[in-house]
């Protein structure tokens, strides 16, 4: 998408919303592949928005980071998915680990930048979390988010990417121990799922899926949606045919009334009023069914 098409939409948004209440997150794909990223960020700042970046770190050198900081970059998230062998296996690139580590060290030194690391936890790296914590501790990074891989897209049917029930408990136990011990970096579980009585123990806030409520997105083809990794059947319009503000104000009903998720195990769950069907990325909207495991029973938190 040409940057000017995206910036036309943010200009319309700022006429309806307070731009200093909104952060624009550049994600992907890999946003650092765009040569116009700094210029786009600079124009977003001129419009009054804050902006941030999610990256694999492969292309971030000191000169590029300085360029982005001068364009107003305020926050950055870098992916690290294990020690070298496991990270490179998941990223399918023999140089990915070294590039990611260099980037994490680089952003950790940029004190004006709010930075953290995210890790995709899977069957190959679940037993290596203490080692990953040690690696990250040596980079100077202070915040670490862990999440699981939803069995959708290319991950569907790849068993090694999805944690088993006992491994989910192992993940929660690790995060709880990290947080109670005061370890650095401080770990937290992502916003992907409701965890019952584990909520206050493994994350800073309580579960709330913000998709379509606090979060809207513009996809690469102009699609207007919520979080970029949810079912494409939940796309609400397209910037090339529709007014983003009108779509935001008048549509997004599947996100704002989630009664449609009350099916199968959700229909009789006594935790539904807190969960409302879990994170939206777990759902096949057309078939009204959840992908993968029943999180509450898997982590034993719905008792």
């Amino acid at each position: 998408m040409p940057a000017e098409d995206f910036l036309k939409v943010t200009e319309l948004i700022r006429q309806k919303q307070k731009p200093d209440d909104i952060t624009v997150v550049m994600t992907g794909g890999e946003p650092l592949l765009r040569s116009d990223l700094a210029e786009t960020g600079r124009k977003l700042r001129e419009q009054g928005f804050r902006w941030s970046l999610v990256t694999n770190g492969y292309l971030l050198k000191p000169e590029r980071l300085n360029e982005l900081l001068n364009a107003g970059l305020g926050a950055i998230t870098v992916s690290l998915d294990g020690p070298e062998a496991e990270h490179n296996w998941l990223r399918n690139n023999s140089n990915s680990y070294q590039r990611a580590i260099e980037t994490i060290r680089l952003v950790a030194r940029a004190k004006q930048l709010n930075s953290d690391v995210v890790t995709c936890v899977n069957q190959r790296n679940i037993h290596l979390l203490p080692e990953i914590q040690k690696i990250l501790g040596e980079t100077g990074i202070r915040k670490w988010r862990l999440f699981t891989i939803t069995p959708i897209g290319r991950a569907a049917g790849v068993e090694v990417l999805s944690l088993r029930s006992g491994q989910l408990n192992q993940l929660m136990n690790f995060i709880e121990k990290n947080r109670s011990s005061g370890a650095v970096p401080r770990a937290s579980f992502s916003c992907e799922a409701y965890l019952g009585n584990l909520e206050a123990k493994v994350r800073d806030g309580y579960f709330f899926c913000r998709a379509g409520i606090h979060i809207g997105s513009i996809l690469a083809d102009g699609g207007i949606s919520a979080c970029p990794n949810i079912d494409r059947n939940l796309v609400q319009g397209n910037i090339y045919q529709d007014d983003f503000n009108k779509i935001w104000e008048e549509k997004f009903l599947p996100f704002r009334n989630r009664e449609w998720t009350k099916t199968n195990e959700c229909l009789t769950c006594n935790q539904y009023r807190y969960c409302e069907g879990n994170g939206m990325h777990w759902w096949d909207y057309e078939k009204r069914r959840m992908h993968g495991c029943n999180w509450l029973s898997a982590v034993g938190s719905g008792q």
Side-chain angles (χ1 to χ4, degrees):
M1 178 189 294
E4 55 266 27
D5 294 355
F6 176 73
L7 291 164
K8 285 177 184 176
V9 179
T10 55
E11 177 61 32
L12 292 174
I13 292 171
R14 84 182 188 106
Q15 294 172 16
K16 286 274 190 174
Q17 310 286 344
K18 292 176 61 178
D20 56 354
D21 286 342
I22 298 172
T23 297
V24 178
V25 181
M26 306 288 194
T27 183
E30 176 48 53
L32 288 173
L33 286 169
R34 293 195 66 114
S35 60
D36 59 358
L37 187 60
E39 183 59 25
T40 304
R42 186 174 294 108
K43 289 180 179 177
L44 285 169
R45 290 299 296 139
E46 290 171 359
Q47 291 177 345
F49 296 98
R50 294 186 297 272
W51 71 282
S52 65
L53 188 65
V54 180
T55 176
N56 61 26
Y58 198 86
L59 297 174
L60 194 64
K61 298 294 185 180
E63 299 78 12
R64 187 84 188 275
L65 179 59
N66 287 336
E67 179 188 33
L68 297 174
L69 289 171
N70 289 335
L73 177 68
I76 190 166
T77 294
V78 185
S79 295
L80 187 78
D81 299 312
E84 187 165 10
E86 286 70 27
H87 177 91
N88 287 346
W89 165 77
L90 187 61
R91 297 287 161 173
N92 197 30
N93 187 307
S94 61
N95 296 316
S96 183
Y97 174 82
Q98 192 57 45
R99 296 285 189 92
I101 287 294
E102 290 171 2
T103 291
I104 294 166
R105 291 191 181 115
L106 180 64
V107 301
R109 292 195 299 267
K111 301 305 180 185
Q112 72 273 44
L113 195 60
N114 186 359
S115 58
D116 71 345
V117 166
V118 292
T119 295
C120 301
V121 184
N122 57 76
Q123 291 184 35
R124 279 192 52 151
N125 67 10
I126 179 70
H127 64 290
L128 297 169
L129 293 178
E131 184 177 348
I132 301 170
Q133 178 178 294
K134 182 179 179 182
I135 291 169
L136 289 175
E138 293 170 352
T139 67
I141 206 76
R142 302 193 64 82
K143 291 183 290 185
W144 182 26
R145 282 181 291 144
L146 299 101
F147 61 95
T148 65
I149 301 176
T150 311
I152 57 177
R154 287 183 294 169
V158 184
E159 184 181 353
V160 71
L161 296 179
S162 296
L163 296 182
R164 303 186 184 98
S165 295
Q167 292 172 326
L168 284 168
N169 276 304
Q170 183 180 346
L171 172 59
M172 299 306 152
N173 291 337
F174 171 82
I175 295 174
E176 187 176 358
K177 181 179 178 181
N178 165 284
R179 293 169 69 85
S180 63
S181 70
V184 177
R186 179 174 171 83
S188 63
F189 189 59
S190 71
C191 62
E192 68 184 275
Y194 172 67
L195 300 172
N197 59 22
L198 288 174
E199 284 291 326
K201 299 176 182 177
V202 297
R203 54 163 69 108
D204 294 334
Y206 285 84
F207 170 75
F208 172 58
C209 181
R210 292 172 170 79
I213 299 172
H214 294 161
I215 298 173
S217 67
I218 299 170
L219 306 178
D221 63 355
I224 300 170
S225 188
C227 293
N229 60 339
I230 60 174
D231 188 342
R232 290 298 188 258
N233 286 314
L234 284 163
V235 168
Q236 301 292 293
N238 191 290
I239 64 167
Y240 292 109
Q241 289 87 42
D242 303 300
D243 181 300
F244 182 96
N245 289 322
K246 188 176 177 67
I247 295 293
W248 179 258
E249 292 167 1
E250 298 180 5
K251 296 191 74 172
F252 281 81
L253 295 180
F255 304 103
R256 296 167 190 174
N257 181 350
R258 301 187 182 183
E259 285 293 317
W260 61 270
T261 65
K262 208 165 188 179
T263 64
N264 301 319
E265 62 264 34
C266 293
L267 188 60
T268 56
C269 180
N270 63 8
Q271 301 284 300
Y272 182 84
R273 65 186 182 276
Y274 307 118
C275 173
E276 292 193 323
N278 243 347
M280 285 293 96
H281 64 287
W282 283 97
W283 282 89
D284 182 321
Y285 181 64
E286 189 174 36
K287 295 180 179 177
R288 299 296 201 270
R289 66 177 180 85
M290 192 186 297
H291 298 285
C293 65
N294 180 333
W295 267 84
L296 272 181
S297 61
V299 298
S301 58
Q303 306 302 317

